[in-house]
Amino acid sequence: MFVLKTLQTNVCLDPSMLGQETIDAVESILKKRYSDRVMQQVGLVVHVYDVLHIGEGSVYHSRGNVYHNVEFRAIVFCPFQSELLIGRITQMNESGIHVSLGFFDDVFVPPELLQQPAVWNSAEQAWCWKMDEDSDPLYYAIGGKIRFKVHAVKFISSDEAGKEGVPLCSVIGRADGTGLGMLAWEWGE
């Protein structure tokens, strides 16, 4: 779920920062730039872990800024396919179930990836699993914990990045296997 990634970037130090230690100024800029941000094909940067290397500074003609090539490590959330996760259901509608992991809210489980047969109960405004005709349906509940597997991690293309309401990174989950679904079904939570 969390990995330590080595990344490289260029950092521009403003003249007002030149009184600080270079490492402190660079770390400050990296944390502002990357913490709690999604990087394409990398994942959600949770924390800048450390700085491995700061290249020699360059000052360009007619500018007072100092530019450094920097190599650093960051803790990144990027789940792998079939990874088992537990989250809380935040919303349900006919298109599926939205799940939050607490620090990441862009998880979606479509109806075809719920326990089958999955049925949308419009009166209850909830999805349920109808195991057979003789048993009562098991309902998915908003606020309840759900165990699911990562089906896919999607990064949007750069041309879609500016659209309102479109997450830069989203996880498609599946809750259609043994041991998957609401924790309350098994453990009474």
Side-chain angles (χ1 to χ4, degrees):
M1 177 163 38
F2 295 99
V3 292
L4 193 59
K5 291 267 191 182
T6 301
L7 305 166
Q8 294 181 345
T9 191
N10 293 315
V11 170
C12 173
L13 297 181
D14 189 81
S16 65
M17 301 180 90
L18 297 179
Q20 300 177 36
E21 290 290 325
T22 304
I23 184 94
D24 295 336
V26 166
E27 281 182 344
S28 172
I29 289 172
L30 291 173
K31 286 178 181 176
K32 285 179 189 171
R33 186 185 294 175
Y34 292 105
S35 291
D36 205 24
R37 297 267 181 358
V38 172
M39 293 182 65
Q40 286 291 333
Q41 305 309 315
V42 175
L44 173 68
V45 177
V46 178
H47 179 70
V48 173
Y49 185 72
D50 62 1
V51 175
L52 300 174
H53 175 74
I54 301 174
E56 287 192 29
S58 300
V59 179
Y60 296 110
H61 179 68
S62 76
R63 296 186 183 171
N65 298 339
V66 180
Y67 297 85
H68 293 276
N69 288 326
V70 176
E71 183 177 25
F72 66 101
R73 293 187 300 178
I75 299 171
V76 177
F77 169 71
C78 189
F80 53 88
Q81 193 167 11
S82 296
E83 182 173 0
L84 195 62
L85 298 174
I86 295 176
R88 287 200 182 272
I89 295 175
T90 57
Q91 180 183 346
M92 283 187 273
N93 55 37
E94 291 179 18
S95 65
I97 294 177
H98 296 269
V99 179
S100 173
L101 299 175
F103 61 92
F104 186 80
D105 296 330
D106 295 314
V107 179
F108 180 71
V109 183
E112 62 273 13
L113 297 178
L114 294 171
Q115 295 285 4
Q116 295 300 317
V119 178
W120 172 251
N121 184 325
S122 56
E124 297 283 334
Q125 291 292 295
W127 282 97
C128 64
W129 175 27
K130 185 81 169 136
M131 290 184 287
D132 56 50
E133 293 300 318
D134 298 332
S135 63
D136 290 334
L138 297 174
Y139 281 90
Y140 293 89
I142 291 179
K145 289 183 180 179
I146 184 171
R147 182 183 297 121
F148 63 96
K149 283 187 177 180
V150 174
H151 181 67
V153 178
K154 292 174 44 177
F155 293 94
I156 65 160
S157 61
S158 56
D159 55 327
E160 293 181 57
K163 293 182 180 174
E164 180 101 13
V166 177
L168 296 174
C169 175
S170 61
V171 173
I172 305 300
R174 67 180 315 126
D176 62 349
T178 303
L180 303 179
M182 296 297 295
L183 295 185
W185 297 346
E186 280 185 81
W187 309 105
E189 287 188 17

